[in-house]
Amino acid sequence: VASAAELKQERVKGKNVAVIDVLRATTVITTALMNGAKEIIPTEEVSTAFEIYSKYHSGEALLGGERNAVRIEGFHLANSPFEYMEDVVHHKTIILTTTNGTRALMGSLTANNIIVASFLNATAIATWLGEQDIDSTIVCAGSAEIYTLEDALCAGMIAKIMEERFGATLSDFAFTLKFLYEGYEGNIMSALTHCQHAQLLLSKGFRSDVEYCLQKDITDIIPRLNEGAITIER
Ligand code: MLT
């Protein structure tokens, strides 16, 4: 008998895993690294984030993340990509805790490699996965353990590129998501009406965040989680 968490760890064991939380954790991680952050340390608990932060000298690290989509008390940054610009994050360690995204990352620790995917770097992620010799699993963070459309569309985009450019054999589910993505390919924004988490963010005034997170291929960096920290793999 295994817990749900153990079962998940079992499914990603020894594989290359791309973790997606389009709105907004994996987009934020990618943005922070694009803007020169030294590393991102993902944690599940707020208390662990404070503990890790206390080990840094003043000015070396920042606490970032959200609960219920807003900044956590005592944290420097929330979970909007626009807070992770170069003047704020350059050379800094970011200790990040979010409701779903950092949990999905921590739930994949038995994987061979864990890389961080979003629409911002989807083609680069598909290329990196496609070039490797071992099987890949795409983990969609979803919201409160429930499927979300925006993560599924991003997974579909990655699956499509892997199949078309690298001849990857898709699982039935990945094949389904590829078709889902093709239905929205020309206008991802039009899917938003069906995205509950996007609607929540829109209702809290985060329209520009949502639009930012749906931009495709603005970077080719591959963020990789290794020994507790996410840095640029290439
Ligand atoms: C999460 O990781 O749960 C999300 O990024 C939440 C959010 O949109 O801030």
Side-chain angles (χ1 to χ4, degrees):
V1 180
S3 68
E6 283 167 342
L7 280 177
K8 272 192 214 155
Q9 296 278 8
E10 200 49 44
R11 289 177 70 177
V12 297
K13 207 172 183 172
K15 299 201 176 149
N16 284 335
V17 169
V19 176
I20 301 174
D21 184 13
V22 166
L23 297 173
R24 294 169 291 176
T26 57
T27 303
V28 162
I29 291 167
T30 304
T31 300
L33 290 172
M34 275 164 62
N35 288 326
K38 184 177 164 203
E39 59 186 352
I40 318 289
I41 300 181
T43 67
E44 283 191 54
E45 304 300 332
V46 172
S47 55
T48 320
F50 279 119
E51 236 170 75
I52 297 171
Y53 178 71
S54 70
K55 298 191 177 119
Y56 284 84
H57 294 116
S58 157
E60 281 178 350
L62 293 169
L63 286 162
E66 57 67 45
R67 288 297 179 270
N68 298 316
V70 297
R71 188 169 61 85
I72 298 160
E73 206 181 323
F75 273 39
H76 306 96
L77 307 168
N79 201 30
S80 165
F82 294 108
E83 292 172 285
Y84 293 77
M85 293 294 124
E86 193 173 355
D87 55 333
V88 177
V89 302
H90 199 67
H91 291 321
K92 297 267 178 10
T93 291
I94 315 284
I95 302 148
L96 188 76
T97 179
T98 71
T99 314
N100 304 290
T102 54
R103 280 170 59 90
L105 283 162
M106 304 309 275
S108 303
L109 292 180
T110 52
N112 190 49
N113 287 299
I114 304 169
I115 56 173
V116 177
S118 64
F119 279 115
L120 304 190
N121 63 351
T123 296
I125 292 287
T127 305
W128 191 89
L129 292 173
E131 284 170 1
Q132 311 292 315
D133 282 338
I134 52 177
D135 283 354
S136 311
T137 298
I138 302 173
V139 172
C140 295
S143 189
E145 309 282 320
I146 292 171
Y147 168 97
T148 60
L149 181 55
E150 68 278 5
D151 292 343
L153 288 170
C154 185
M157 177 176 172
I158 294 170
K160 178 179 160 80
I161 297 166
M162 288 181 72
E163 186 188 48
E164 286 178 357
R165 297 202 193 158
F166 298 93
T169 307
L170 303 183
S171 67
D172 290 13
F173 191 43
F175 187 72
T176 309
L177 295 188
K178 182 192 83 159
F179 275 103
L180 178 74
Y181 169 71
E182 283 174 344
Y184 286 102
E185 192 166 6
N187 187 5
I188 295 285
M189 284 298 278
S190 68
L192 277 191
T193 20
H194 306 289
C195 293
Q196 288 188 13
H197 190 57
Q199 293 302 326
L200 173 80
L201 291 173
L202 293 177
S203 75
K204 290 184 188 255
F206 293 121
R207 169 163 288 275
S208 50
D209 279 28
V210 173
E211 287 170 358
Y212 177 90
C213 293
L214 298 183
Q215 299 174 97
K216 287 188 225 170
D217 295 332
I218 65 167
T219 179
D220 55 10
I221 66 166
I222 307 289
R224 176 169 171 231
L225 173 60
N226 190 25
E227 295 183 2
I230 303 168
T231 53
I232 297 180
E233 164 75 2
R234 79 170 190 210

